[in-house]
Structure formats: C-alpha cells, structure tokens
Amino acid sequence: MKCSIRTARMEDLACILPIFQEAREFLREQGSPQWQSGHGPTQTVLEEDIQRGEGYVFLLGDEIFGYSALVEGVDESYTNITQGQWDSTCERYLSIHRVAVSSRVRGMGLACQMMEHLIAAARRLGYRDIRVDTYHRNQIMERVILGAGFLWRGMVLLPIPNGERKAFQLVLPEE
C-alpha cells in the first residue's frame, strides 16, 4: 500500500485535527507525557503551518491519514544540544515536526513511507540537513526515525514540561 504527500490546505483541518486527538490518546496510553496537558500541536499551530506552506498531509487514495510539518529556519530548541552535537557541515537545515498518523492505519508501516516522502520533499526544497526530535518513551517514532537513516546527535530541551527530547539528524549526500 503506497501513500502520497501534498501540501496541506485549510480545508484539511477537519481531517487533521482528529488525527492529532488520536495520536495524543495513543501517546497517553503508552505512558508518554508527550503532547499531553495542552502542550501538543494546537489548531492554531497547525493553521500557521498551513499558512506558511510547511504543513503536509499524507493520503491513501483521497483519504488523509497523516500529517507532518517541514519547518524552515533555526529551531531555537535545537540551538542548545547536550550529550552530543549536530553535524554542522551544512549551512542551513529543515526540521520535521508534528508527525501524526491516524489510528485507522497504525501498524501498517505508513509512518516509514511518510518519513521517506518528507526527506524527498526536504531535498526538493534544497535542504540536505534534516533534523527531528522525539520524547525518549516514543519508541515507535524513534524506530521510524532511525529506520529512515537519521543518527542520534544528543538531547534538546523544549520549553514545556517534560520537554527533554532525543535529537536526530540526517545529512543527505550532495547530488
């Protein structure tokens, strides 16, 4: 089963918001504080992603099953990395944030396809340095990240409760 990617539109929010609610519930069931207590992606944040052209939806046929953002520019949370360091061979980087998959397709390997699409999109946008983070208990996301070829680079701290995150980086070869 192959998925596709496209830039998110405001009218997609009706499909995107329930996906994030399902993802929050799943993380809570896994014992993770990630995205709990109002510290996860909000409708406002998703609207801002879409307005900036940084939000992406993932589809099976015409049905949206996933979302992520490719955020350009310096991520302040990534400026202070501990227990390691970023590979700084590239001048600029792109960050992957807010990866969520519908419970309807969980376990089907689609998150791995999503990551492949995000890496390809980053390349099309002219980026070779791609960064992502996840909470240490989010083992599923960590497997997806490592499976896509990212390397663990250290720890970053988001400005929220339980904000410590494992930081990963993928530096694509020059074409």
Side-chain angles (χ1 to χ4, degrees), residues 66-77:
Y67 178 90
S68 186
L70 285 175
V71 180
E72 297 185 71
V74 174
D75 185 320
E76 287 301 318
S77 297

Side-chain angles (χ1 to χ4, degrees), residues 57-69:
V57 291
F58 298 86
L59 304 102
L60 286 174
D62 293 332
E63 187 177 346
I64 294 172
F65 73 84
Y67 178 90
S68 186

Side-chain angles (χ1 to χ4, degrees), residues 139-151:
Q139 297 297 309
I140 295 169
M141 188 63 194
E142 186 172 343
R143 281 194 300 274
V144 169
I145 291 167
L146 292 172
F150 286 78
L151 300 175

Side-chain angles (χ1 to χ4, degrees), residues 21-101:
Q21 183 56 42
E22 293 169 4
R24 265 190 293 281
E25 286 296 314
F26 183 69
L27 288 168
R28 185 184 55 74
E29 290 167 6
Q30 303 300 308
S32 175
Q34 187 177 359
W35 292 358
Q36 305 302 309
S37 304
H39 296 289
T42 63
Q43 181 170 339
T44 301
V45 168
L46 299 172
E47 287 171 353
E48 290 169 355
D49 286 348
I50 294 168
Q51 288 168 349
R52 286 190 308 269
E54 295 178 340
Y56 291 85
V57 291
F58 298 86
L59 304 102
L60 286 174
D62 293 332
E63 187 177 346
I64 294 172
F65 73 84
Y67 178 90
S68 186
L70 285 175
V71 180
E72 297 185 71
V74 174
D75 185 320
E76 287 301 318
S77 297
Y78 288 2
T79 58
N80 293 315
I81 188 167
T82 62
Q83 300 177 38
Q85 64 184 24
W86 299 111
D87 176 334
S88 58
T89 57
C90 300
E91 284 183 29
R92 57 195 196 111
Y93 64 90
L94 191 73
S95 302
I96 297 173
H97 289 300
R98 297 179 275 290
V99 178
V101 177

Side-chain angles (χ1 to χ4, degrees), residues 88-132:
S88 58
T89 57
C90 300
E91 284 183 29
R92 57 195 196 111
Y93 64 90
L94 191 73
S95 302
I96 297 173
H97 289 300
R98 297 179 275 290
V99 178
V101 177
S102 170
S103 61
R104 296 184 315 276
V105 298
R106 194 173 294 131
M108 297 172 63
L110 292 170
C112 295
Q113 286 186 46
M114 288 171 62
M115 195 61 72
E116 291 171 12
H117 280 296
L118 291 166
I119 292 167
R123 172 72 88 178
R124 283 191 302 276
L125 290 168
Y127 288 89
R128 291 182 41 238
D129 184 342
I130 309 166
R131 301 178 186 189
V132 64

